[in-house]
């Protein structure tokens, strides 16, 4: 796979929760961090996403907000 995005977080799918039209896919990227993506149910089915699979969260955004406490 070749893509232009530089923010690639590799991990393992820990949960796929399907809703009416979209699914929430949670990926454990290590160190106690889990990234959750909201994607279409169609994409989940096409990719055959299931818990336990190796996957990457690929982030391409024009704005990223950072907050501190």
């Amino acid at each position: 796979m070749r893509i232009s995005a530089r923010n690639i977080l590799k991990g393992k799918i820990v949960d796929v929760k399907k809703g009416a039209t979209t699914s929430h896919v949670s990926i454990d990227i290590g160190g106690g961090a889990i990234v959750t993506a909201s994607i279409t149910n169609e994409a989940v089915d096409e990719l055959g996403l299931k818990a336990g699979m190796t996957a990457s969260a690929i982030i391409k955004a024009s704005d990223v907000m950072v907050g501190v406490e």
Side-chain angles (χ1 to χ4, degrees), residues 2-46:
R2 293 179 53 175
I3 57 174
S4 63
R6 297 292 179 244
N7 301 304
I8 302 172
L9 308 172
K10 295 180 181 181
K12 190 164 289 228
I13 297 174
V14 292
D15 195 25
V16 178
K17 289 187 181 170
K18 281 192 167 183
T21 58
T22 59
S23 295
H24 291 132
V25 181
S26 298
I27 301 173
D28 183 340
I29 60 169
I34 294 179
V35 174
T36 301
S38 179
I39 65 175
T40 65
N41 289 338
E42 183 179 1
V44 168
D45 293 341
E46 285 177 6

Side-chain angles (χ1 to χ4, degrees), residues 42-58:
E42 183 179 1
V44 168
D45 293 341
E46 285 177 6
L47 295 171
L49 301 181
K50 293 180 179 20
M53 291 178 68
T54 299
S56 295
I58 302 165

